[in-house]
Structures are given as C-alpha cells and as structure tokens.
Amino acid sequence: MADERRSLLNRALLEDFPGEEIITHGARSGLAWVGRQILRFFEDTGRVGILFTRAVAATLQAGTYRRQIVDQMSAIGVGSMPLVGVVALFTGAVAAVQAAYQLEGVVPLRYLGAVIERSVLIELGPVLTALVVGGRVGASIAAEIGTMRVTEQVDALEILAIDPVRYLVMPRLVAALVMLPVIVVFADAIAIFGGFCVATLSFDQSPHTYGQALKQFFHLKDLTSGLCKSAFFGGLIAMMGCHYGLASEGGAEGVGLATTRAVVASCVLVLVSDYVLANLLFRVTF
Amino acid sequence: MAGEPALSVRGLDKAFGGRPVLAGVDLDVERGQTVVVIGRSGGGKSVLLKHLVGLVRPDAGTVRVLGEDVTRYTSAQWTGLRGRVGMVFQGAALFDSLTVGENVAMGLRVRKRLPADEEEALVRDRLAQVGLTEVESLKPASLSGGMKKRVALARAIATDPEVLLYDEPTTGLDPVMADVINRLIRELQSRFGLTSVVVTHDMTSAYFVADRIAYLHQGRIHAQGTPDEIRRSEDPIVRSFVEGRSQGLAGVR
C-alpha cells in the first residue's frame, strides 16, 4: 500500500515537472559516474585484500605447488634479467651524467660514486626495476590468468578441486616477493657499474676514486631498505596481475582491458607506495 | 535415500546485472539418466549447468546434487563433491601450459597420489576410452577441436564421477566428429551408469543421447519429455525450435 502510494507520488512529481527531470539528469549521471568509480575503487581494494589473505594462507601448501613456484620464479626473475640489466646500465650512466652536471661547483666530482650509489640503492634500483617488471610481469600474469578465466580454465580448475588461488595466485605472489629483491640486487650492481663507466670514460675519474667514494658512503640500511621496498613492490605487481586477470570477463577485449589495468595499477601503486614507504623507512625506522 | 533424483533444481532464479537469465527453473535428473537441456543461445543453459557444479550461486531457489543441498555451499564445502561431479566445458578448457597427459591426471593428483606408473596407466586407459592413443605428451594447442573435446572428456572421467555435465559438446565440430562425441556420451552412460546433463542446441545430438529433453525458454523449463514426445510436440514454441524456424518465435528477426 505504501509502495503504491509512493510510486503514484513519484509519477505525479515527474509528470508535473518534466523539465526538472531533464535538467537534473545530466548532473545526476555525472555524480553517478563518480559514485560508481569510488564504489569500484573500494570494491577492488576489498577484493585484492581478500585475494591476498587467501594467497598468504595458501603458502602453507607451498610444498605441493613447488613446481609452479619454481616456474614462476624463473619467469618473473630470470626472464626479467636481460631487460632489467639494460635499463639499469643506462640508469646508472644517466645518473652519473646528471649528477656530475648538477653537482658541478657544489660538491667535488670525487664524490660522484657516492651520489650514484645512494640514489641507486635507495630509489632508482628498486623503483625503476619495479616499473619495468610491473610492465613486463604484471602484463603477462594478467594476460595468462585472464585468458584462463575467459576460456573457462579457471572454472575447470575449481571443478577438479584445485583452488585457483593456490595453483595460480600463491606461486606468483611467492615468486614475485622472493625474486624482486634478487633482481634489484642485480640491477643495483649494474647501475653502479653504468655510473662507473661514465665516471671513468667521460670524466677521466680513476677507478680507485670511484671505488673509494662507494666504500666511504656505503650504508647497509640504504641497501636493505631498498630491498624491503622491492619485495613490497613485487607483492603489489603479482597481486595486481592476478586480481585483474581473475576478474577479466568477455573475450580478447576483456583480457586486453585486464592487462592494461594490471600494468597501470602496478605502476601507479609502486610510485604511491614508494612515497609512503620512503616516509616509513627513513623517517620512523631510522 | 533411494529414489531421490541425482540432481534436483527448484525455483532457480539468477540475474546478471539486473537482467534475469533464469526465472523459476524446476528440473530433476534421475540417477543413470541423460537429460538434454535445449534452448536458444544466450538462454541461460550454461548458467543452469554452472549452478550444478557450484560455479554460479543462485539468487533464489534450491539446488540439490547427489542428495546434498548445495544451494549455499562455499567452494570449500564443494570439495567433497568434486570428483563425483565432472564437467566437459564448451571450449574444452584444457590447461594449455600442460601436456595432454598432465591435463587428464590433474584431477587425480589432488585426491590421491598414485605411483607414477599407475597414474600413467590410468591416464592411458582414460584416453583410450575416448579413442585417443599416443597423445599424452602433446600440448593441447597442437590438437584438433574434436581431439580437444575428447581429452576434456577423458579428464572429466578420470576421477570416476557419478554425474557428468556437458556444455555444448558438439558445437564447432564437423558432423562425423559430433557423432563420435554423441556415441561416447551414450557409451559412458551405459557402461558406467553415469547421470548426465547435456546442454546443446544441436537437435541431432539431443535426440541421439537423451533419455529426456527439457526445453529452456525465457528462463524456465517450458516443456520436457522423451525425445519422441518432444519430436511430436504440438507446442508452437517447441516446434519452431526443433525445426529451426525463426517465424513464430518472439523477438527473433
């Protein structure tokens, strides 16, 4: 009865003020769009949180799925090495050129090694590696799981009593958490070498001077905090790839969309969380 | 409980994005029987099938599988029924990173670890049952459509299920291969007493494999009966579907 009265009232209002309906429609759909985006953000965050919790719980079964973990470590870690190597080499070289230019007349050039070392260990190594790996690995995880989703392979896993979180998500999460710091150590070394090449070849610095600066200003916490960050970034990349992959729907278009979202989300989150982690690691802890 | 149907669906409702797909489906499948669900593409046949294996949860209604009320089962609760209910997917859904042999063995490995040679023998046996030999080490990508379907069938029967669900088993196959699959469905049913539900819009297949045919129309079972009853049905909606005529069906152009 009350419903009926309300719908009658609604109809009367709409009929009396059709103009108002048209005017408010545009604003309302705009607001609705914003609302939907906000809702989707919270929904995604919640889903990723649940997926992450389940993946962490699934590490108890890590032994059963060690083959998958090793395969993923190889794909994520070893497979990324060549690309990361090239990026790191030039990052170090550019850092050397830029630092020399910026420090001219302010800091003696003999400290060049120290500047490169600290910026690479703390920021450039972990962040650039994470961005490169986020593009490469985030995309491939999302595309692979997305394709499995739209071709019903994920459903087939469930029917065979294989939990997709254990079989697909957990191995990728573990592999990324372990391998990102490993790649970053490798990238750090190559970047410092890139800087060394520029310092010795372009600025006529002796290897000894560069080495002295490296040794004198090496702080273990620079390295460890960089590695902590990179493990965190690895987790982010794996979770974004898995989440968007599992959530993809439709066909090729859906997988493409999932891949794009995974890469964009990993890259944005790496940069945002880098800021937060920088504050935590360097203001609070140390 | 003797006499209880292997599968029982009551008042099943399901909507996606506000669009109702199933609206009050009632369907019983007796043990050892093959029921074919026919209906137009996009009419919710696959969705109905997915309710029977817990891939989709109903908005309303109840689903009973092998005597258990699975309506609100979580995937963890389903674990006990997995292996007893198998499914052959429309696109075969083989794991393309694994070999054919690993695909077939996949469901076995979770349950009980067999010694490698026993597992191999079982995989070979299941593949032989669907008429395939010497394919264990191939990757799914190198198989033809018909072979993929048969591997999917071998994977589904590897765990000795009591219920087997087929989603469009003959779609996309040439008539000869479709006949091979149809014969396999019948053979599996008669040899192992499998309860089967086949979703299809291929009437040749439906008449061949069915003990009973149910016609899903506008979200509910519009008509059901033996293949002969359906063939002789006077119902205009059923007639236009089984004869493949677009006239007389609402919303078709």
Side-chain angles (χ1 to χ4, degrees), chain B residues 55-79:
Chain B
L55 291 174
V56 178
R57 291 230 233 141
D59 293 341
T62 56
V63 180
R64 295 181 66 82
V65 173
L66 295 170
E68 291 184 42
D69 184 352
V70 300
T71 313
R72 294 278 152 231
Y73 266 24
T74 61
S75 46
Q77 287 172 299
W78 262 99
T79 313

Side-chain angles (χ1 to χ4, degrees), chain A residues 135-155:
Chain A
R136 188 184 168 277
V137 172
S140 82
I141 291 178
E144 188 181 357
I145 296 184
T147 306
M148 289 185 73
R149 165 60 85 194
V150 301
T151 55
E152 298 185 310
Q153 291 178 50
V154 176
D155 289 342

Side-chain angles (χ1 to χ4, degrees), chain B residues 27 29 33-39 45 185 196-203 205-216 221 223-225 227 230:
Chain B
L27 185 69
V29 182
Q33 212 181 33
T34 301
V35 169
V36 174
V37 179
I38 58 173
K45 303 189 296 292
I185 295 175
S196 320
V197 179
V198 183
V199 151
T200 188
H201 46 239
D202 172 358
M203 288 313 299
S205 169
Y207 287 140
F208 187 80
V209 301
D211 293 318
R212 226 149 44 83
I213 296 179
Y215 180 44
L216 187 66
I221 302 293
Q224 55 179 313
I230 293 291

Side-chain angles (χ1 to χ4, degrees), chain A:
Chain A
M1 197 54 196
D3 280 349
E4 203 175 315
R5 211 179 304 145
R6 206 173 304 132
S7 82
L8 271 177
L9 185 67
N10 277 338
R11 211 183 311 151
L13 281 172
L14 291 182
E15 276 164 15
D16 280 352
F17 309 108
E20 188 187 54
E21 169 71 2
I22 293 161
I23 295 164
T24 54
H25 182 72
R28 226 187 278 164
S29 66
L31 273 179
W33 183 84
V34 173
R36 270 201 304 276
Q37 296 307 311
I38 294 173
L39 280 180
R40 211 180 77 188
F41 171 76
F42 283 112
E43 201 183 308
D44 275 348
T45 313
R47 280 174 199 271
V48 172
I50 293 170
L51 190 64
F52 177 72
T53 317
R54 289 179 58 198
V56 169
T59 51
L60 293 175
Q61 262 93 22
T64 317
Y65 296 96
R66 58 184 178 278
R67 187 182 135 192
Q68 277 73 28
I69 296 177
V70 172
D71 283 351
Q72 288 305 320
M73 284 170 95
S74 159
I76 294 173
V78 184
S80 298
M81 291 288 188
L83 180 63
V84 168
V86 172
V87 170
L89 184 69
F90 282 93
T91 303
V94 170
V97 174
Q98 287 296 322
Y101 171 69
Q102 288 174 35
L103 300 181
E104 206 176 6
V106 183
V107 176
L109 205 57
R110 67 168 187 279
Y111 294 123
L112 189 61
V115 175
I116 295 168
E117 177 184 52
R118 299 199 70 180
S119 55
V120 163
L121 292 185
I122 296 171
E123 275 305 316
L124 296 176
V127 174
L128 286 176
T129 305
L131 291 176
V132 170
V133 174
R136 188 184 168 277
V137 172
S140 82
I141 291 178
E144 188 181 357
I145 296 184
T147 306
M148 289 185 73
R149 165 60 85 194
V150 301
T151 55
E152 298 185 310
Q153 291 178 50
V154 176
D155 289 342
L157 280 176
E158 284 204 41
I159 293 201
L160 295 171
I162 300 162
D163 180 2
V165 175
R166 284 185 199 162
Y167 184 74
L168 297 173
V169 180
M170 182 273 286
R172 284 166 175 79
L173 178 65
V174 171
L177 282 173
V178 174
M179 289 315 280
L180 246 268
V182 175
I183 312 174
V184 166
V185 168
F186 173 80
D188 285 349
I190 293 191
I192 290 170
F193 173 74
F196 169 81
C197 292
V198 170
T200 51
L201 300 175
S202 301
F203 302 124
D204 294 328
Q205 199 171 68
S206 77
H208 177 73
T209 316
Y210 189 82
Q212 274 305 113
L214 286 185
K215 217 191 283 175
Q216 194 181 342
F217 289 91
F218 176 79
H219 297 286
L220 189 62
K221 80 168 184 200
D222 293 351
L223 178 66
T224 51
S225 62
L227 296 184
C228 284
K229 286 204 292 192
S230 54
F232 187 87
F233 296 154
L236 269 181
I237 293 166
M239 288 318 295
M240 288 303 114
C242 292
H243 165 68
Y244 285 107
L246 284 174
S248 57
E249 47 191 29
E253 195 190 0
V255 176
L257 198 63
T259 309
T260 311
R261 283 189 180 147
V263 174
V264 170
S266 332
C267 292
V268 170
L269 286 177
V270 162
L271 292 172
V272 172
S273 63
D274 183 44
Y275 172 76
V276 177
L277 288 174
N279 276 301
L280 283 177
L281 289 166
F282 291 95
R283 287 207 188 147
V284 185
T285 326
F286 300 100

